[in-house]
C-alpha cells in the first residue's frame, strides 16, 4: 500500500475520482474511467461496480480487468456469490483466496477464474445497499484494513452518483435500478386526503460535497471541536431549564453517545484514511444505519436511532447547515418527510405549500397527528424507514385515508391518484353545497353537527364546514405545544379568542393529559399501564392547583356568556362532585374579587370509562350534559389499546356490545331529559354516524372534514326506521358480531351516501 501522500495515495485517488465525476461525459464513460482509476491506484488487476436493480439482482455496470462484454449481462441475486453476500450483509469482505469461500460462484463470461484475492464493499446510502464495489488481484494477497476503508470511502462517491439518478440513462427497460425504483409503501392512516408533490426532508440530509481532506490533522481538529461544541450544547440543554421526562432521557442518551469511545474511535479512524470530518461521520453513520435495518430488538433500534440523530447533529455542526428544513424555503408542493416531528414544528411550515406529511415513527394518535388533522394535511404515519428511502425532491404521493405512500410513482400510478384527488375534490364540492343546509333526516329529525377543535386555527374552519358550535375543545393541545406550563393569562387569552370567534357555543374539556399525552416539562412517573394510570381528571383532582387555574381562566373567558365545561376520564360520580366543588370555589373567588362570571354555566361529564355506564342515573341527576368519548370508551370496553395497531382494529365499534352500551347511554339521557353528545372519532364516519342517529343521538361532534360526509348521510336516512331496525337487531340473543353488514345493506337499499 503506498503512503498517503505519494502518487497513488488515497487522497490523490479521491481527488481524481472527484474530477472524473465532474467531467461532461456519459454516465457509462464516467463509470468506466472510475474503475480504471481505482484499479490503477489500488494496484489491483480488477475493479468492478455492481448496481442493485429493482428486481433484486446485482448487475455488473462497469469493470476494469474482467471481460468488458460481461458488462450489463452478468447479474446475480442478493445472497448469490461473494458480491451477493456483501449486498445482503451490507458489510465488506476481504479474501486472499476467493475461490475457496463457500459463497464463491463462478460466472464464466467474466473470466474471473484467474483472480485469487478479492475485496468487496457495499455501496451504501442511508443504510440501504445500492450496489457493490469490488477489486481483485491475481496474487494471493491480504488487503490491509486501510485499503478496505479507502474502498468504502470511494463507495460513498458511487452512492452519490447512483442516488442522483445519473445512471438512469444507461438502464435498460425492465432492469431499473433499486435506488430509484418506484415504491408503494403502507403505513397507518393519520389524516385524510390525497396529496401529490415532492419530498422535503424535515431534517435535510447534509450533502457532503467535500469528501477528500487536504489536511488530515486539520480534519481531526475540526472533528474534536465539533464534538466539543455538540457536547457543550447537550450539557447546556440538560442543565438549562431542569427539563424533565422523556426529553431529558433522550438528551442523556445523546450525552452517552457523545462520550462513547468506540464511536469516536471509528470517526477518527475514518478520517485517518484521508477524508474530511463530515465524510467520516457520514461513513460511520452509514454503517450504523445498515445495522439498524437488520436490528429487530426495539431497544437496540431505539439506541441506533439515537446514534443516527447524534451523527446528524454532528454533520450539521460541521457544515454549519441548519438542522431542520427552513420553513421559509418550502417549495409550492411540498410533502414533508420526517422520522418524527413535534406538533409545534409542523405549525411552523406554511400550510398553503404543504401537500402532505409522511412520518416514520408517529401513528394516528400522536400529537403531530392531531395537528396534521387540524390543518387538513394528508398524512400517513408508521412508514418504516421512509427517511432513508427517499431523496430530497423525489416525486411522492400521500394517501392519508388509505395509509399509502407512493415514492417515485410510475405515470399510470400517478394518474390514478390524480383521478382520486379529483374525485375527492368533486365530492368536497358537493358537500360544500350542503354547507348552509341543516342536517335533517328524512323523517324530520334535526341532528346537531358540531366540531372538535383544540387550536385557534381550527376555529377558522367552522365557516367552511358550516358548523356553529364546538362540541369538544381539547384544551391540552395548548399545553402540549408549549415549552412550559401556559400561565393563567395565556390560557385565558386562548379561551377568550376561541369563544369570541365561535358563533355558537364552545364546550371546553378540561386538561386531558397523562396516558399518551405527555408534557415534556412536567414530571412524569413510570407507569406499567399509562392508559389506566394517572391521567386527566385524576391528575386534576390530585393536583388541584393546575385544574383550578384552568377553571379560573375558563370562567373569566366566559364572562357574561354561556360557558360549557366538561371533565374527561371520570370513573366515579364522586369525582364529578369533587370537580364541581372546585368550580364553585373558583366562581366564589372571582365574584369576591369583582370579576364578571358566565351568565350561564353548564357542567358536563365525558362518558369514557365503562364504570359510568352503571352510574348513569346518579350522574345524569347531577350533570347538565354528558358527552361520549367513544375513542376511550371503546378502548376500555374492549380492552384494546386505541394506539396499538395490532389490537386497535380487532373489535368493530359497530359490534353489538359497543352499540348496546351506546344505546344504554342514549336511553338514560333521554329518560333524564339531559343533553347528550358524542365526540369520538366514530362520530365522524358516515356509517357510524348513521347508526348513532338510529340509536337516538341528536348531537355529534367531529373534525371539520367529516361534517360534509356525515351531513350527506344524515340527510339520506330515516332515523325512526333505522332505529327500529337496529333495536330489533340488538335485542336478538344471537346478534351478529358486527352490525356493519346490516347497516351497510340498509344504506345501500335507501341510497344513503356513505
Ligand atoms: C375520546 O376519548 O373519544 C375523546 C374524544 O377524547 P380524546 O380522543 O381526546 O381522548
Ligand atoms: Mg378521551
Amino acid at each position: 500500500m503506498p503512503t498517503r501522500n505519494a502518487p497513488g495515495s488515497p487522497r490523490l485517488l479521491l481527488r481524481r475520482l472527484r474530477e472524473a465525476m465532474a467531467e461532461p461525459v456519459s454516465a457509462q464513460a464516467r463509470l468506466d474511467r472510475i474503475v480504471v482509476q481505482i484499479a490503477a491506484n489500488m494496484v489491483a488487476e480488477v475493479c468492478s461496480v455492481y448496481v442493485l436493480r429493482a428486481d433484486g439482482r446485482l448487475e455488473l455496470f462497469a469493470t476494469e480487468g474482467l471481460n468488458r462484454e460481461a458488462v450489463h449481462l452478468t447479474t446475480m441475486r442478493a445472497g448469490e456469490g461473494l458480491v451477493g453476500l456483501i449486498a445482503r450483509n451490507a458489510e465488506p469482505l476481504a479474501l486472499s483466496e476467493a475461490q475457496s469461500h463457500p459463497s464463491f460462484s463462478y460466472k464464466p463470461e467474466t473470466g474471473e477464474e484467474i483472480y485469487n484475492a478479492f475485496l468487496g464493499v457495499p455501496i451504501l446510502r442511508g443504510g440501504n445497499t445500492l450496489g457493490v464495489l469490488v477489486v481483485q488481484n491475481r496474487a494471493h494477497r491480504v488487503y490491509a484494513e486501510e485499503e478496505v476503508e479507502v474502498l468504502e470511502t470511494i463507495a460513498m462517491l458511487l452512492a452519490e452518483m447512483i442516488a442522483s439518478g445519473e445512471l438512469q440513462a444507461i438502464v435498460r427497460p425492465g432492469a431499473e435500478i433499486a435506488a430509484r425504483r418506484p415504491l408503494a409503501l403502507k403505513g397507518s392512516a393519520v389524516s385524510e386526503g390525497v396529496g401529490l408533490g415532492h419530498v422535503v426532508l424535515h431534517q435535510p440530509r447534509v450533502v457532503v460535497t467535500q469528501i477528500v481532506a487536504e489536511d488530515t490533522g486539520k480534519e481531526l481538529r475540526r472533528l474534536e471541536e465539533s464534538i466539543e461544541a455538540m457536547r457543550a450544547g447537550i450539557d447546556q440543554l440538560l442543565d438549562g431549564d431542569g427539563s424533565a421526562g422523556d426529553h431529558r432521557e433522550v438528551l442523556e442518551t445523546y450525552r452517552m453517545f457523545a462520550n462513547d469511545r468506540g464511536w469516536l474511535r471509528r470517526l477518527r479512524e475514518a478520517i485517518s484514511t484521508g477524508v474530511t470530518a463530515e465524510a467520516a461521520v457520514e461513513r460511520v453513520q452509514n454503517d450504523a444505519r445498515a445495522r439498524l435495518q437488520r436490528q429487530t430488538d426495539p431497544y437496540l433500534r431505539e439506541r441506533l436511532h439515537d446514534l443516527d440523530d447524534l451523527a446528524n447533529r454532528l454533520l450539521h455542526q460541521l457544515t454549519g447547515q441548519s438542522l431542520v428544513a427552513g420553513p421559509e424555503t418550502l417549495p409550492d408542493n411540498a410533502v414533508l418527510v420526517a422520522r418524527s416531528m413535534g406538533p409545534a414544528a409542523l405549525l411552523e411550515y406554511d400550510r398553503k405549500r404543504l401537500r402532505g406529511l409522511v412520518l416514520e415513527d408517529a401513528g394516528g394518535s400522536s400529537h403531530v397527528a392531531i395537528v396534521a388533522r387540524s390543518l387538513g394535511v394528508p398524512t400517513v404515519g408508521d412508514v418504516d424507514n421512509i427517511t432513508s428511502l427517499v431523496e430530497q425532491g423525489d416525486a411522492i404521493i400521500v394517501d392519508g385515508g388509505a395509509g399509502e405512500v407512493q415514492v417515485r410513482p410510475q405515470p399510470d400510478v400517478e394518474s390514478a391518484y390524480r383521478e382520486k384527488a379529483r374525485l375527492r375534490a368533486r365530492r368536497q364540492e358537493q358537500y360544500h353545497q350542503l354547507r348552509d343546509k341543516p342536517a335533517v333526516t328524512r323523517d324530520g329529525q334535526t341532528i346537531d353537527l358540531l366540531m372538535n377543535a383544540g387550536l385557534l386555527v381550527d376555529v377558522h374552519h367552522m365557516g367552511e364546514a358550516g358548523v356553529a358550535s364546538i362540541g369538544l375543545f381539547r384544551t391540552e393541545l395548548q399545553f402540549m405545544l408549549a415549552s412550559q406550563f401556559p400561565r393563567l393569562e395565556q390560557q385565558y387569552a386562548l379561551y377568550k379568542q376561541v369563544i369570541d370567534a365561535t358563533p355558537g357555543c364552545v364546550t371546553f374539556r378540561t386538561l386531558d393529559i397523562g396516558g399518551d399525552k405527555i408534557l415534556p416539562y412536567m414530571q412524569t412517573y413510570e407507569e406499567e399501564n399509562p392508559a389506566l394510570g394517572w391521567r386527566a381528571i385524576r391528575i386534576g383532582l390530585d393536583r388541584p392547583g393546575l385544574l383550578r387555574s384552568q377553571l379560573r381562566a375558563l370562567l373569566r373567558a366566559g364572562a357574561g356568556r354561556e360557558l360549557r365545561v366538561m371533565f374527561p376520564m371520570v370513573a366515579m360520580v364522586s369525582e364529578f362532585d369533587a370537580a364541581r366543588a372546585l368550580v364553585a370555589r373558583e366562581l366564589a373567588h372571582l365574584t369576591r374579587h369583582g370579576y364578571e362570571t358566565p351568565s350561564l354555566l353548564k357542567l358536563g361529564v365525558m362518558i369514557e370509562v365503562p364504570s359510568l355506564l352503571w352510574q348513569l342515573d346518579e350522574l345524569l341527576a347531577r350533570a347538565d350534559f354528558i358527552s361520549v368519548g367513544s375513542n376511550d370508551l371503546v378502548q376500555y370496553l374492549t380492552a384494546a389499546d386505541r394506539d396499538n395497531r395490532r389490537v386497535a382494529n380487532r373489535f368493530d365499534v359497530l359490534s353489538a356490545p359497543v352499540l348496546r352500551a351506546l344505546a344504554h347511554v342514549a336511553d338514560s339521557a333521554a329518560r333524564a331529559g339531559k343533553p347528550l353528545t358524542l365526540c369520538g372519532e366514530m362520530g365522524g364516519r358516515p356509517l357510524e354516524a348513521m347508526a348513532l342517529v338510529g340509536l337516538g343521538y341528536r348531537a355529534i361532534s367531529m373534525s371539520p372534514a367529516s361534517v360534509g360526509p356525515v351531513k350527506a348521510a344524515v340527510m339520506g336516512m330515516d332515523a325512526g326506521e333505522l332505529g327500529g331496525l337496529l333495536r330489533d337487531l340488538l335485542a336478538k340473543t344471537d346478534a351478529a358480531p358486527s352490525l356493519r353488514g346490516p347497516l351497510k345493506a340498509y344504506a345501500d337499499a335507501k341510497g344513503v351516501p356513505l
Side-chain angles (χ1 to χ4, degrees):
M1 181 84 192
T3 56
R4 192 161 303 128
N5 289 314
S9 74
R11 181 123 63 85
L12 193 65
L13 170 59
L14 287 167
R15 187 169 308 142
R16 290 237 171 95
L17 291 178
R18 264 273 161 231
E19 282 160 15
M21 293 212 167
E23 277 175 47
V25 293
S26 75
Q28 187 65 56
R30 197 186 319 284
L31 267 186
D32 292 344
R33 285 185 200 182
I34 287 171
V35 288
V36 170
Q37 294 268 13
I38 299 171
N41 185 280
M42 296 192 68
V43 200
E45 280 96 23
V46 175
C47 174
S48 317
V49 174
Y50 296 83
V51 177
L52 185 67
R53 299 193 323 208
D55 62 3
R57 296 190 79 86
L58 288 143
E59 178 178 321
L60 180 65
F61 259 65
T63 187
E64 162 69 3
L66 300 184
N67 289 339
R68 289 282 169 107
E69 294 74 48
V71 169
H72 297 303
L73 285 181
T74 291
T75 64
M76 53 201 76
R77 280 178 282 112
E80 181 193 356
L82 300 176
V83 171
L85 190 69
I86 293 165
R88 194 175 61 191
N89 295 346
E91 271 169 13
L93 183 66
L95 302 165
S96 58
E97 174 59 64
Q99 278 95 332
S100 55
H101 191 281
S103 288
F104 181 81
S105 108
Y106 176 54
K107 296 276 175 186
E109 71 275 15
T110 61
E112 66 180 326
E113 70 273 21
I114 48 171
Y115 302 105
N116 289 298
F118 174 102
L119 167 60
V121 297
I123 301 174
L124 293 173
R125 187 168 168 92
N128 293 310
T129 300
L130 306 189
V132 175
L133 172 63
V134 174
V135 290
Q136 289 172 276
N137 281 81
R138 213 174 294 234
H140 291 260
R141 55 162 303 197
V142 176
Y143 294 100
E145 186 56 34
E146 210 178 3
E147 288 172 293
V148 180
E149 301 229 355
V150 169
L151 209 60
E152 283 190 290
T153 303
I154 297 167
M156 284 170 67
L157 289 175
L158 288 167
E160 192 70 43
M161 191 173 168
I162 298 172
S164 73
E166 190 185 338
L167 301 189
Q168 295 300 85
I170 47 173
V171 166
R172 285 163 306 115
E176 275 75 28
I177 290 177
R180 305 297 308 158
R181 72 180 182 273
L183 296 172
L185 306 171
K186 190 87 189 134
S188 51
V190 169
S191 172
E192 238 262 310
V194 178
L196 294 91
H198 292 273
V199 169
V200 172
L201 289 163
H202 171 54
Q203 290 202 316
R205 216 172 281 139
V206 173
V207 182
V208 178
T209 45
Q210 192 62 28
I211 291 189
V212 187
E214 295 299 330
D215 176 348
T216 297
K218 189 170 143 219
E219 294 306 316
L220 280 170
R221 278 195 301 281
R222 285 184 64 225
L223 177 73
E224 302 300 341
E225 281 163 18
S226 294
I227 288 178
E228 220 22 78
M230 188 179 72
R231 267 191 205 140
I234 294 172
D235 286 346
Q236 205 179 0
L237 281 174
L238 273 166
D239 300 341
D241 54 359
S243 59
D246 254 21
H247 198 51
R248 184 170 195 94
E249 210 176 290
V250 170
L251 289 173
E252 292 280 11
T253 312
Y254 279 179
R255 175 146 76 180
M256 190 183 86
F257 280 124
N259 292 305
D260 178 55
R261 293 249 188 93
W263 192 62
L264 299 175
R265 180 178 46 77
R266 282 196 298 280
L267 290 174
R268 289 194 195 104
E269 276 173 9
I271 291 183
S272 68
T273 64
V275 298
T276 57
E278 44 270 48
V281 177
E282 184 172 304
R283 220 179 71 199
V284 172
Q285 184 183 30
N286 249 333
D287 293 343
R289 282 210 180 151
R291 271 191 288 149
L292 177 70
Q293 281 175 28
R294 278 172 288 143
Q295 186 55 255
T296 50
D297 179 88
Y299 177 78
L300 289 176
R301 276 187 67 86
E302 200 50 46
R303 296 286 77 85
L304 284 164
H305 264 321
D306 288 340
L307 194 55
D308 193 42
D309 280 339
L310 196 67
N312 261 339
R313 271 175 186 266
L314 194 50
L315 278 176
H316 288 281
Q317 182 81 40
L318 277 163
T319 56
Q321 294 178 27
S322 95
L323 203 55
V324 294
E328 66 287 348
T329 56
L330 212 60
D332 271 343
N333 52 1
V335 172
L336 276 179
V337 175
R339 165 111 47 77
S340 59
M341 189 191 277
L346 179 57
L347 281 170
E348 274 175 31
Y349 287 98
D350 177 2
R351 169 67 190 94
K352 286 197 284 297
R353 291 164 187 263
L354 278 187
R355 294 284 173 272
L357 171 66
V358 185
L359 298 160
E360 200 164 304
D361 271 357
S365 57
S366 58
H367 309 147
V368 65
I370 297 172
V371 173
R373 279 195 290 267
S374 283
L375 297 175
V377 180
T379 303
V380 177
D382 295 320
V383 183
D384 286 342
N385 204 23
I386 182 73
T387 50
S388 302
L389 294 171
V390 296
E391 296 288 327
Q392 193 88 328
D394 274 351
I396 186 167
I397 300 171
V398 182
D399 184 341
E404 288 167 359
V405 178
Q406 302 286 344
V407 178
R408 300 178 285 267
Q410 304 270 30
D412 54 335
V413 172
E414 186 178 320
S415 58
Y417 277 93
R418 279 199 192 285
E419 187 53 31
K420 188 168 180 181
R422 251 195 305 276
L423 273 175
R424 198 174 169 274
R426 206 172 307 149
R427 227 176 307 129
Q428 289 311 112
E429 183 46 42
Q430 286 161 0
Y431 297 142
H432 192 71
Q433 298 187 348
L434 296 180
R435 193 184 63 170
D436 301 321
K437 298 204 168 96
V440 182
T441 62
R442 287 200 188 156
D443 54 337
Q445 295 287 336
T446 301
I447 312 299
D448 207 1
L449 302 186
L450 311 155
M451 197 180 89
N452 289 348
L455 299 167
L456 200 55
V457 292
D458 294 333
V459 180
H460 304 305
H461 298 315
M462 300 188 78
E464 242 166 82
V467 292
S469 293
I470 295 176
L472 164 66
F473 190 88
R474 292 181 162 103
T475 57
E476 62 276 7
L477 281 192
Q478 182 186 26
F479 286 71
M480 279 155 47
L481 292 177
S483 53
Q484 56 192 43
F485 274 114
R487 306 168 70 87
L488 191 146
E489 286 305 320
Q490 290 166 308
Q491 295 179 46
Y492 162 77
L494 173 67
Y495 304 153
K496 177 132 176 33
Q497 285 179 68
V498 172
I499 294 174
D500 286 346
T502 306
C505 204
V506 186
T507 303
F508 289 95
R509 193 243 322 257
T510 60
L511 209 48
D512 185 6
I513 47 171
D516 64 319
K517 295 171 183 161
I518 308 223
L519 306 180
Y521 45 85
M522 187 173 154
Q523 169 143 28
T524 49
Y525 300 92
E526 198 63 33
E527 292 186 302
E528 284 273 328
N529 291 304
L532 304 179
W534 198 53
R535 48 176 299 197
I537 187 85
R538 301 168 182 185
I539 297 182
L541 295 178
D542 290 353
R543 292 278 154 83
L546 198 58
L547 181 54
R548 277 178 48 200
S549 75
Q550 181 176 37
L551 290 172
R552 195 175 295 181
L554 284 166
L555 291 167
R556 276 182 47 199
R561 290 185 269 200
E562 177 180 346
L563 178 71
R564 295 164 62 89
V565 177
M566 63 182 178
F567 299 94
M569 293 295 297
V570 171
M572 293 289 158
V573 168
S574 54
E575 290 170 324
F576 179 51
D577 289 338
R580 276 199 310 172
L582 288 179
V583 176
R585 220 171 123 172
E586 286 314 310
L587 260 182
H589 173 90
L590 289 176
T591 313
R592 215 171 31 246
H593 288 84
Y595 284 98
E596 188 185 5
T597 53
S599 54
L600 186 62
L601 178 60
K602 302 260 185 202
L603 297 180
V605 173
M606 289 189 77
I607 309 292
E608 297 184 290
V609 183
S611 59
L612 281 188
L613 297 177
W614 290 274
Q615 302 170 75
L616 283 173
D617 293 341
E618 298 96 303
L619 186 69
L620 285 158
R622 294 160 156 90
D624 296 317
F625 65 94
I626 57 173
S627 184
V628 178
S630 53
N631 304 338
D632 278 315
L633 183 64
V634 173
Q635 126 161 301
Y636 296 122
L637 269 178
T638 57
D641 182 349
R642 62 193 263 190
D643 298 334
N644 180 340
R645 267 202 285 173
R646 250 178 267 164
V647 299
N649 299 324
R650 227 180 170 84
F651 306 104
D652 197 339
V653 293
L654 294 177
S655 63
V658 174
L659 291 181
R660 284 186 184 129
L662 293 171
H664 173 55
V665 177
D667 298 346
S668 306
R671 242 190 347 263
K674 290 285 168 75
L676 162 70
T677 315
L678 181 137
C679 59
E681 301 305 315
M682 73 177 287
R685 295 192 286 269
L687 186 71
E688 279 82 342
M690 187 186 86
L692 289 167
V693 170
L695 292 178
Y697 285 74
R698 293 293 174 267
I700 309 177
S701 193
M702 62 198 73
S703 64
S706 294
V707 174
V710 168
K711 193 186 277 188
V714 164
M715 292 171 83
M717 72 178 290
D718 185 309
E721 183 183 50
L722 180 68
L725 182 80
L726 264 179
R727 297 284 172 165
D728 285 349
L729 287 171
L730 291 174
K732 284 191 184 164
T733 47
D734 61 345
S738 169
L739 273 64
R740 189 168 291 274
L743 281 163
K744 268 207 178 117
Y746 170 85
D748 285 348
K750 302 289 166 179
V752 179
L754 293 178

